[in-house]
Amino acid sequence: MNTIIVIGTNPPCPRCGLLENVMKRKVLELNLDAEVVHWTFTDEEARNYAKNLGLESGTAKDVAKKIDQSIDQNRLAYLMVNNQSAQNLEYKDYNNCNWSYELDEILRPFENKAKECGILMTPAIIINGELKHQGSIPRIEKINHWLDELSA
């Protein structure tokens, strides 16, 4: 059996919730022999996984602290209720979490600095032990590619 791990927050933020929804639904849609597991970034398993990469598990807030920048919380709150962008359409069947492409974009600077400042940033996706993506929602085509590899 394949193991797909989503490292996120608890309760899930819009990004972590969406990634978990996508992975669970795709596993069912593709009838894959895979289990989707959620680790909270503070769980021992997540911390150990990050440590093995020379990182610590964390969120955009943790990155922001390390690089001494603030996250515009008002803008984030606005984007969580105003997520009608055309760029959100590829996730429409999975998105019941108030995620938006713009939400990822506002956090992109923190994603780009995460590894540099030693953080494995949520949401992260690990498939059979291999870190595939961290810090944002990957495109559906990328997720499909990873899952196609499991059915090969």
Side-chain angles (χ1 to χ4, degrees), residues 111-123:
E111 176 187 357
N112 292 340
K113 294 283 188 180
K115 284 186 180 178
E116 182 181 312
C117 69
I119 294 178
L120 173 64
M121 187 174 136
T122 61

Side-chain angles (χ1 to χ4, degrees), residues 30 32 141 143-152:
L30 299 169
L32 293 175
E141 66 190 36
I143 292 170
N144 287 337
H145 173 75
W146 298 327
L147 297 179
D148 284 346
E149 290 176 342
L150 297 183
S151 60

Side-chain angles (χ1 to χ4, degrees), residues 27-88:
V27 164
L28 289 174
E29 289 168 13
L30 299 169
N31 196 31
L32 293 175
D33 183 23
E35 173 186 27
V36 179
V37 177
H38 176 90
W39 289 348
T40 300
F41 75 99
T42 56
D43 289 346
E44 184 176 350
E45 298 93 341
R47 289 177 187 230
N48 288 337
Y49 186 88
K51 186 177 180 180
N52 287 335
L53 297 174
L55 304 168
E56 60 186 78
S57 57
T59 67
K61 288 179 185 177
D62 297 309
V63 176
K65 284 181 197 173
K66 286 207 173 203
I67 64 175
D68 197 28
Q69 288 186 2
S70 62
I71 298 173
D72 185 343
Q73 296 297 325
N74 291 330
R75 181 81 176 132
L76 287 180
Y78 173 80
L79 291 173
M80 284 190 239
V81 294
N82 295 285
N83 55 5
Q84 303 303 316
S85 168
Q87 292 156 315
N88 299 333

